[in-house]
Each structure stands twice: as C-alpha cells, then as structure tokens.
Amino acid sequence: MHELSIAINIIEIAEEEVHKANAKEVNEIEIEIGVLSGVIVEALEFALETAIKNTVLEQSIVRITKISAKARCTNCGMEFEIDDYFSPCPKCKHLFSDIIDGKQLIIKKMIIS
Amino acid sequence: MCDTCGCGESEAPLIRKPGEDKHNHVHTHTHNHGDQKHSHPHSHYHHHDNPHDQHDHNDHAHEHHKADHNHTHRKEILLEQDILHKNNLLAERNRGFFDAKNIFAINLVSSPGSGKTTLLEKTIKKLGKEIPLFIIEGDQQTMNDANRINKAGAPVVQVNTGSGCHLDANMIYLAIKKLEPADNSVLFIENVGNLICPSMFDLGESKRVVIISVTEGEDKPIKYPTMFETSDLCIINKTDLLQYVDFNIARTREHALMINHHLEFLEISAKTGEGMDTWYDWVKSNNP
C-alpha cells in the first residue's frame, strides 16, 4: 500500500523539476528500485498508472530498473548476490551477512520538455 | 497531495490531545507540493550541480544561448535523487531537535494487537516515576489509545492518519510541536500497527523497537523481514501465554537473527510484568 505513497513522492519530485526548468512535462523518467528496498515494482507500476493522471508525468515513459541486492558474509567476507534477507553465504554457509546493495529507491534521470 | 500515504489526497493527518474534539483541533495544512507557492518549514534539497542547460542536440537543430527562455525542446536532468528524500530530510530535522533537547526517541512498531499500548501503560506507571515520558500515538482512527495513555498519566498526542498506513516524519514534526516534549525526556512513538509500511519511513528516532507476541507465528521475522532488518531491539511479548500456544522462542530468535544479526531481544509479559525490568533497564541504559 505504501507504493502509492512512493508514486506520489515521484510525482512531487517530477513536478518540482519541471517547474524549476520552466518546462511543461516529463517525457521520460528513469527509476531504480533495489530488490530489498521494500517496494514491489509491480505494485509501484500499478500505483503510478493511476497517480500520474493530470500530472506532468501523464504522458511520460516510465522506466523502472530493478537493482539486485548484494551481501557481505560476516564470517569469510565473501560478497554475493541475494534476493532475500536470509540467504546463507554460498562459500562458507554462514548465516549472517551485511547488506551492501539493493536498498535504493532513486530517480536517476528525467527528460523534460 | 497528501505526503502521508497518498490514499487520501486531501486528507491531512488529524493531531489531537485527549479532550480535544474534532472541531477545535489545530488545522494542519494539506500539503500541495505541486504548486510551489506555499511556504512552510520543509527544507528542500536542490541539486545545484545539475546540468540544467544541457540539451540533446541530436534530434533537432535550434538556436539558444540562455537557459531561462521558454523551453519547448527536450532536456535531460540527471537527478540521482532518493525518492524518500523529503521524508528523510524531515526525519533528520526531527533527529536534530531530539539531540538538542537530549530527548531519547523510540519508534515502536508491530502488527496490530501485539501489546504496544499495554507495554506503554505499564512503562508510564513504573518508569514515568524516574524519567519524564512523552507519547505520540499513531492510529488510523480514534482517540482510544491516547485516552488510555492519558489515563496512565503521560502527556500524549494522537495522530490519526486517516487512510494512511504509517507515520511519517512530517506527522512527527507536527505532533512534537503540539506535544512540546521536555528536555532530557524519553519520547515513545507508537506507530500504526502494521509490519510493512512503517519500516520504510524514518521518523528521526534514536532506536526502533519491533514487538511480536507469542500468539503470532514464529516465522514473522522471515515473513516481514524489512521491519526486523531496520529494528534495534525485538521484544517478544505475552510470554505468559507460552504454555497455551505453539511458539518456539529460540526458533523465532534464530529467524530474526538471520535477517538482522545486530538485533537484541527481550522476552516480557507486559500484562503480568514478567521481564519488564529488563525493558526498563534497556531504556535507561540506551538513553543518551
């Protein structure tokens, strides 16, 4: 349900940038969502579909890139890709690791006109 | 647009003290960040190093030398901006306020019915004698929790999020203005009962405490990992019911540690008082 909140934050940032540049609308927007960001990409796409009506994003192409997550094993220091919080280290099978990537929620860039 | 959850577009959170009715509350303005004309004390972060006058000249030929004329052509803006930056900035602002006043702010998160309010009632009666306590209650609707806290004897402000599913930094900002917590106090923020959404919203707290009760499944931590990953302490509540339910505390701890190996644990029964001293000690020893 918080994906709608995220969608509205995206629209607010877009509105701000369009206003600052004295432009009219957004043509393209690129968003990066880490797989451990807590946001479900499909739910965000669904929320955006409705939320962008009558905003500067209404006609925009929305590109959402999923960023895979990485963890570092606290035992052997091995860095490995994960898609959940509890994958053991593939090398030493240790259960504890620190997440080093995959939590981002970023607007990379926009093309406006 | 509503900055809280997006669900109720013009619905501002309702922030009240016990005894105030709906009709004389201080009106909090609805945020319309789209119009750019309002002036309220949000800090806005601008990337001044954006290449604002960088254009893509590949697809059309044109002449322009000034960046402030009417743009009818496309231009690329490199943002690299955190989508939650507004909330995060406001959270840092709250954090600065707490630091300056030496207030220890604790964000209590859990599913509905895990015993957050009972824990607070007991804490107010015991710890409230030693340390000034202030409470912010978050619920979708009703003053029920604030009234319970008020009865227990601590100053409280209720935030009704309306259709919102979590508290955000702006609601806390508005609530602390109304609550006026004292220097050197402990501020408990009881978040909306929800194990998902509140995990994403920093309120400016010093510590996040997740509560689960033994009547919930022992696999809660791996079902709702984000909340456990972002918390500092996990309280396992309602231990007085352990004999009636199929709940293995050791396995729950194991699950939670797989998500967050920095997590601390306390086992308590807010109802009977069992283990509550460990909680009071935790609050006192973490209080800066």
Side-chain angles (χ1 to χ4, degrees):
Chain A
M1 165 162 183
H2 56 277
E3 277 80 4
L4 189 51
S5 186
I6 301 297
I8 284 168
N9 276 289
I10 292 170
I11 293 165
E12 283 178 2
I13 293 167
E15 299 264 2
E16 219 169 88
E17 292 301 323
V18 165
H19 182 88
K20 262 199 298 195
N22 204 13
K24 272 209 197 87
E25 60 177 358
V26 179
N27 306 105
E28 272 182 59
I29 183 164
E30 271 187 45
I31 298 165
E32 280 188 2
I33 308 284
V35 294
L36 297 183
S37 65
V39 166
I40 297 163
V41 172
E42 292 71 22
L44 178 62
E45 283 170 344
F46 181 69
L48 272 172
E49 221 170 272
T50 316
I52 61 173
K53 296 258 160 68
N54 300 317
T55 74
V56 294
L57 281 169
E58 186 161 10
Q59 303 298 329
S60 176
I61 298 167
V62 180
R63 293 185 213 282
I64 302 180
T65 314
K66 268 193 210 182
I67 306 295
S68 52
K70 257 191 207 155
R72 186 184 293 120
C73 175
T74 56
N75 183 45
C76 72
M78 163 98 174
E79 286 180 12
F80 55 102
E81 214 168 273
I82 49 170
D83 46 24
D84 55 40
Y85 283 96
F86 36 87
S87 308
C89 172
K91 196 168 141 199
C92 73
K93 305 291 173 217
H94 190 67
L95 282 179
F96 297 169
S97 56
D98 289 318
I99 289 151
I100 53 174
D101 198 10
K103 292 173 92 171
Q104 57 271 72
L105 214 53
I106 293 170
I107 299 181
K108 286 294 278 186
K109 63 176 183 185
M110 294 194 296
I111 295 173
I112 61 174
S113 63
Chain B
M1 247 165 279
C2 167
D3 197 30
T4 58
C5 193
C7 345
E9 280 208 12
S10 60
E11 215 173 322
L14 189 57
I15 298 173
R16 286 176 290 170
K17 286 182 176 171
E20 288 179 352
D21 73 19
K22 271 193 184 185
H23 303 287
N24 59 14
H25 71 276
V26 178
H27 275 276
T28 58
H29 54 275
T30 49
H31 287 233
N32 188 344
H33 293 281
D35 69 10
Q36 302 288 317
K37 282 175 202 141
H38 64 297
S39 60
H40 61 90
H42 285 214
S43 32
H44 290 272
Y45 186 62
H46 300 279
H47 289 265
H48 289 289
D49 53 352
N50 282 344
H52 280 281
D53 45 5
Q54 191 182 84
H55 310 288
D56 186 356
H57 293 269
N58 297 333
D59 50 4
H60 59 289
H62 59 171
E63 276 182 35
H64 62 90
H65 301 288
K66 285 180 186 169
D68 57 358
H69 65 286
N70 277 340
H71 288 236
T72 50
H73 53 277
R74 287 180 163 218
K75 106 176 177 183
E76 189 178 289
I77 301 176
L78 299 171
L79 267 176
E80 290 283 349
Q81 186 168 326
D82 192 316
I83 292 165
L84 287 173
H85 85 291
K86 259 181 197 154
N87 184 75
N88 295 344
L89 277 175
L90 256 183
E92 283 308 326
R93 187 187 161 109
N94 291 345
R95 192 166 278 123
F97 171 82
F98 297 144
D99 272 354
K101 291 177 70 73
N102 198 32
I103 294 169
F104 181 34
I106 300 173
N107 182 6
L108 294 168
V109 292
S110 80
S111 4
S114 64
K116 293 189 295 295
T117 314
T118 307
L119 177 80
L120 281 180
E121 283 175 315
K122 294 289 168 78
T123 307
I124 290 160
K125 284 180 185 149
K126 187 76 192 284
L127 207 59
K129 289 177 188 152
E130 297 172 46
I131 310 169
L133 305 180
F134 290 81
I135 320 289
I136 296 171
E137 281 290 336
D139 280 299
Q140 252 199 304
Q141 297 288 341
T142 82
M143 290 291 290
N144 291 357
D145 280 4
N147 290 336
R148 278 173 67 183
I149 295 298
N150 188 41
K151 225 171 171 182
V156 59
V157 158
Q158 176 83 48
V159 180
N160 284 140
T161 57
S163 41
C165 51
H166 57 265
L167 294 176
D168 65 27
N170 186 48
M171 294 179 198
I172 299 306
Y173 168 77
L174 296 170
I176 50 184
K177 278 196 139 182
K178 198 169 178 68
L179 184 60
E180 299 177 329
D183 290 1
N184 309 310
S185 60
V186 174
L187 172 70
F188 289 105
I189 303 164
E190 185 183 331
N191 217 313
V192 178
N194 178 340
L195 265 185
I196 308 170
C197 312
S199 69
M200 295 192 60
F201 293 84
D202 184 8
L203 307 179
E205 73 264 26
S206 323
K207 295 280 182 192
R208 188 174 288 184
V209 176
V210 60
I211 302 167
I212 56 171
S213 60
V214 302
T215 52
E216 303 169 45
E218 59 196 28
D219 54 356
K220 259 260 149 110
I222 48 173
K223 277 183 173 168
Y224 301 94
T226 320
M227 194 61 96
F228 289 84
E229 204 266 330
T230 57
S231 292
D232 302 286
L233 173 71
C234 173
I235 292 182
I236 300 171
N237 191 21
K238 306 190 188 178
T239 52
D240 54 306
L241 298 178
L242 268 175
Q243 52 184 314
Y244 307 110
V245 293
D246 201 12
F247 186 91
N248 186 326
I249 288 191
R251 218 159 28 228
T252 307
R253 280 176 175 245
E254 220 172 87
H255 285 318
L257 282 172
M258 276 160 66
I259 308 298
N260 174 1
H261 58 92
H262 302 288
L263 200 60
E264 294 178 70
F265 295 90
L266 295 175
E267 292 163 23
I268 63 154
S269 166
K271 193 180 171 192
T272 66
E274 187 190 357
M276 283 297 278
D277 285 338
T278 59
W279 161 240
Y280 303 141
D281 289 343
W282 186 90
V283 174
K284 283 189 270 187
S285 61
N286 283 277
N287 192 357

